[in-house]
């Protein structure tokens, strides 16, 4: 295992470039639109789960309402492009910023809350957004939703085929990874992680935890909004049922299965969950049982997720005995 | 640093009539304290005397029910721990609160937080500020680890270290703040006599280097040998404040530690 890791670190640039090449050429290999749709779904959920991972995985807050921010982004995009004729490229950042603003507002009253109480508030927020979308008919179309959301146009070409849209989604995910990895390598990322690890100690070292928690929430919500805005034209139709709590829980399951607090984890989680749901479709409703069993087994065997490190607070908060002994003997 | 004429040194941290009640429990009742620059100031008292509560009031974990805490003459009572840390007062905890799953180096790096100013913009575009900050953090944290003798464990997870070294990491992390005054809550707890000796040496070295140090400790030998001024608490009240020799000779202190009967007979 360690050998594998070392090789990956050694040829990091090579692996990244090879991975990028594969990702860029993927639409040429997968010719069928149906399959390409699955790939696009993976990308959408990977980004959504990653944005949730910012909040849950890095600062240790427990947000269950990611579907709410996703909905804010999607509806902003749908309303502005369909009813007001704005260009997608203008609406996109606007939608992200609006979701970020929502995230900021939700974070304010929740700064004093932790754990399950924070979860309740975010859960409630997500439902409020969904109910607003369902009932505010003049703006959101109510139960009818919004149809015929225009596809983005780039260089005079309308991107409506999944093969083309794939690149927008891929770009979103890559941009997210690039920016986030830079933030995590700065004092901001370290402050987030310190809050997750031991918030009292972080405070005693001058980390303003309220400020960083709310910054974290805002940032996570921003990306949920961004992917929401990219999602709306892709499906061409939004209604409130797409943003139920289930969506939020799906994203959460991906984060947990893939590995919280790692950049690659939610992406792996998204691939695993999407492949499972599609390949088990023949089982009809039974697939949810299988899905649930996998999550339970996962929590049992590998609570830190597929990509998570075993020596992490997310793996159940135990320091491995063997490494501790090694440390002690080295010290003597 | 320990000047012979303590009275000449400027006052750094002062408590005036500090009270802390938890409902009907008077955890701290009317405590005064004066810490001067260059002190190694000890706070002692039997179990449950309110030492840690008093510490927590000074560092902003609790707001006092009554009274003032003055740092450089400015009232800091009721400020949050992070605001107080920015005023260059650092602390360690009685029950070690390390970032257990982060490396020793990262622990110290987080201590550099208040002395850097990278914003999100700087981090994303890796501006000059970011580069300067990261370089500062890397140099300073390695420097501190070297001074405290932990550089070979820099990459190890902090929770894997033996107990004594974990306490050292906590001190290293507090030092990264570049504090003027360092508050240590039972730094020698759980250490063997050798480690305690080393720690004492280290604390005195820090004091030489210009840090003012406040220390809570149970180990009398440790306190008597390293402090130049001592505050004695019992049942939340101050029973004595003075130099170690005076403390040893004081009747009230003896009663608090040994009980009335023994002292009367003795």
């Amino acid at each position: 295992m360690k050998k594998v890791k070392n090789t990956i670190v050694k040829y990091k640039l090579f692996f990244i470039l090879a991975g990028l090449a594969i990702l860029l050429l993927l639409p040429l290999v997968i010719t069928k639109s149906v399959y390409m749709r699955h790939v696009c779904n993976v990308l959408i959920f990977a980004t959504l789960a990653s944005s949730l991972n910012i909040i849950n995985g890095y600062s240790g807050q427990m947000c269950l309402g990611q579907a709410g921010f996703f909905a804010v982004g999607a509806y902003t995009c749908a309303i502005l492009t369909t009813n007001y004729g704005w260009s997608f490229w203008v609406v996109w950042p606007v939608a992200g910023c609006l979701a970020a603003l929502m995230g900021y507002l939700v974070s304010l009253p929740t700064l004093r809350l932790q754990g399950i109480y924070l979860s309740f508030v975010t859960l409630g927020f997500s439902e409020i957004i969904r109910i607003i979308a369902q009932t505010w008919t003049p703006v959101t179309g109510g139960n009818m939703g919004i149809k015929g959301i225009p596809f983005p146009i780039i260089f005079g070409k309308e991107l409506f085929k999944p093969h083309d849209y794939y690149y927008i989604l891929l770009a979103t995910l890559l941009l997210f990874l690039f920016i986030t990895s830079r933030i995590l390598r700065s004092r901001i990322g370290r402050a987030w992680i310190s809050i997750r690890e031991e918030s009292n100690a972080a405070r005693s070292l001058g980390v303003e935890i309220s400020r960083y928690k709310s910054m974290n929430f805002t940032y996570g919500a921003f990306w949920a909004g961004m992917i929401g805005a990219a999602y709306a034209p892709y499906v061409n139709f939004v209604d409130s049922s797409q943003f139920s709590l289930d969506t939020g829980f799906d994203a959460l399951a991906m984060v947990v299965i893939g590995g919280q607090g790692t950049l690659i984890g939610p992406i792996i989680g998204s691939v695993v969950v999407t492949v499972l749901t599609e390949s088990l479709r023949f089982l009809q409703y039974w697939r949810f049982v299988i899905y649930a069993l996998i999550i339970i087994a996962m929590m049992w065997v590998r609570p830190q997720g597929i990509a998570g490190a075993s020596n992490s607070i997310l793996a159940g908060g135990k320091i491995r005995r063997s490494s501790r002994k090694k440390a002690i003997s080295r010290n003597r | 640093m320990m000047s012979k004429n303590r009275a000449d040194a400027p006052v750094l941290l002062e408590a005036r009539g500090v009270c802390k009640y938890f409902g009907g429990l008077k955890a701290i009742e009317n405590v005064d304290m004066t810490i001067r620059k260059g002190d190694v100031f000890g706070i002692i008292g039997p179990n449950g005397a309110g030492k840690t509560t008093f510490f927590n009031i000074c560092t902003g974990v609790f707001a006092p029910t009554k009274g003032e805490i003055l740092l450089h003459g400015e009232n800091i009572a009721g400020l949050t721990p992070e605001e107080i840390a920015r005023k260059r007062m650092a602390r360690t905890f009685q029950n070690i609160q390390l970032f257990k799953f982060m490396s020793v180096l990262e622990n110290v790096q987080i201590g550099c937080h208040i002395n850097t100013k990278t914003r999100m913009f700087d981090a994303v575009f890796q501006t000059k500020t970011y580069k300067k900050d990261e370089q500062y953090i890397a140099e300073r944290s390695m420097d501190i680890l070297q001074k405290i003798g932990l550089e070979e464990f820099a990459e190890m997870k902090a929770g894997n270290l033996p107990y004594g070294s974990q306490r050292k990491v906590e001190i290293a992390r507090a030092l990264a703040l570049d504090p003027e005054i360092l508050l240590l809550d039972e730094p020698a707890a759980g250490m063997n006599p050798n480690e305690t000796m080393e720690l004492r040496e280290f604390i005195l070295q820090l004091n030489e280097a210009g840090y003012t140090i406040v220390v809570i400790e149970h180990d009398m030998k440790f306190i008597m040998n390293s402090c130049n001024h001592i505050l004695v608490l019992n049942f939340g009240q101050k029973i004595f404040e003075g130099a170690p020799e005076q403390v040893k000779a004081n009747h009230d202190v003896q009663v608090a530690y040994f009980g009335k009967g023994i002292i009367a007979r003795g």
Side-chain angles (χ1 to χ4, degrees), chain A residues 178-179 182-183 185-188 190-212 215-216 219 310-314 316-320 323-328 330-331, chain B residues 80-82 85-86 89-91 93 96-102 106-107 109-120 123-126 130 133-134 137 152-153 156-162 165-166 173-174 177:
Chain A
F178 178 72
I179 293 179
R182 284 197 158 187
I183 290 177
R185 267 181 284 137
S186 74
R187 72 168 193 149
I188 298 168
R190 284 194 291 267
W192 288 347
I193 296 171
S194 74
I195 292 170
R196 174 187 85 192
E197 298 281 324
E198 193 66 71
S199 59
N200 281 335
R203 297 185 81 182
S204 82
L205 296 173
V207 177
E208 309 93 326
I209 59 170
S210 308
R211 189 161 149 242
Y212 279 92
M215 192 195 285
N216 177 271
Y219 183 72
S310 56
N311 50 0
S312 141
I313 200 167
L314 301 164
K318 271 186 217 143
I319 285 271
R320 266 179 310 170
S323 53
R324 162 170 261 174
K325 265 185 200 148
K326 220 186 290 163
I328 292 170
R330 245 176 83 182
N331 197 39
Chain B
T80 59
E82 48 267 48
R86 276 180 188 270
M89 182 148 110
R91 71 167 298 179
F93 294 87
I96 303 179
Q97 303 216 352
L98 284 178
F99 308 118
K100 273 188 245 160
F101 296 96
M102 298 171 92
E106 283 171 319
N107 266 273
Q109 283 176 336
I110 289 169
C112 300
H113 185 86
I114 63 165
N115 295 321
T116 48
K117 39 184 178 295
T118 301
R119 293 167 165 277
M120 211 174 251
V124 174
F125 295 99
Q126 301 203 334
Y130 169 83
D133 278 353
E134 286 304 305
I137 291 171
E152 60 171 319
F153 300 119
M156 190 176 278
K157 292 263 189 285
N160 279 340
L161 290 176
S165 306
Q166 288 195 14
R173 195 175 67 176
L177 238 77

Side-chain angles (χ1 to χ4, degrees), chain B residues 178-193:
Chain B
D178 196 15
E180 206 168 358
I181 177 164
L182 183 62
L183 287 77
L184 307 172
D185 196 347
E186 297 208 16
M191 284 189 175
N192 63 33

Side-chain angles (χ1 to χ4, degrees), chain A residues 331, chain B residues 143-153 168 202:
Chain A
N331 197 39
Chain B
D143 187 45
I144 287 173
L145 284 183
Q146 258 157 24
K147 269 189 197 144
I148 210 162
L150 283 172
E151 73 269 32
E152 60 171 319
F153 300 119
K168 277 192 186 166
F202 182 67

Side-chain angles (χ1 to χ4, degrees), chain A residues 77-95:
Chain A
C77 176
I79 293 165
L80 290 180
T81 52
T82 318
N83 301 347
Y84 296 91
W86 288 32
S87 154
F88 171 79
W89 306 107
V90 179
V91 173
W92 203 10
V94 171

